[in-house]
Amino acid sequence: MESSRRLYIHIPDEYEEFLISGEWDHGIVVRDLNPCLTDSEFHNYFEKFGTITECEFTINKSSGWPKGVGFVRYSSAGEAKAAEEAGPHCLGGFHLWINKVVTPKMAAQNRSDNQLNSPPCQSFQTDLCVN
């Protein structure tokens, strides 16, 4: 039985030959996100690195607020690598930690379409970074 939960795997560059053994989606895990970030701001920032096929935040189920972690899946490994290497990344005044990951391919019906319902915050300038 196929799981509907995603498994994120970071593979160091020296072990990329492992990827030949299966079908993988390529993306990045983003940490230290601003909790007032909207889904469109998150998507717009990372789409400059390539074609995004999935873009989502992790939400705390009890509070409804973002946990500060997101995932962006790209259409190719090169796009995910470009996003990782383009840093340092700063979005909404927060410096982001980014790690390239692979996930086992999932059937289209099992992909979650979870979208972030924007928390009660105002939008902000994406190019402003506080040290």
Side-chain angles (χ1 to χ4, degrees):
M1 182 161 114
E2 196 171 310
S3 172
S4 63
R5 295 193 61 187
R6 240 199 227 271
L7 174 65
Y8 303 98
I9 306 167
H10 171 69
I11 308 234
D13 290 338
E14 60 266 21
Y15 298 108
E16 283 192 350
E17 68 272 1
F18 170 78
L19 298 176
I20 297 170
S21 65
E23 291 187 34
W24 305 95
D25 286 327
H26 299 271
I28 56 172
V29 169
V30 183
R31 287 191 342 207
D32 300 334
L33 290 169
N34 186 322
C36 294
L37 189 69
T38 65
D39 57 340
S40 62
E41 290 166 334
F42 183 61
H43 186 278
N44 290 340
Y45 180 81
F46 286 102
E47 78 177 339
K48 63 185 168 191
F49 302 108
T51 304
I52 294 176
T53 58
E54 182 180 357
C55 186
E56 64 184 11
F57 289 14
T58 304
I59 304 294
N60 183 317
K61 291 182 182 181
S62 63
S63 71
W65 283 86
K67 290 183 177 180
V69 177
F71 172 71
V72 180
R73 182 166 40 102
Y74 287 100
S75 61
S76 73
E79 294 169 342
K81 187 172 184 112
E84 179 187 43
E85 294 177 347
H89 294 278
C90 180
L91 181 60
F94 284 50
H95 290 280
L96 305 177
W97 179 90
I98 294 179
N99 204 356
K100 184 177 61 132
V101 295
V102 294
T103 58
K105 286 223 183 251
M106 295 178 73
Q109 68 270 19
N110 286 343
R111 290 190 181 133
S112 64
D113 293 328
N114 295 338
Q115 295 296 321
L116 173 67
N117 293 325
S118 299
C121 292
Q122 299 246 333
S123 183
F124 46 78
Q125 289 182 307
T126 58
D127 60 346
L128 175 66
C129 217
V130 178
N131 291 329

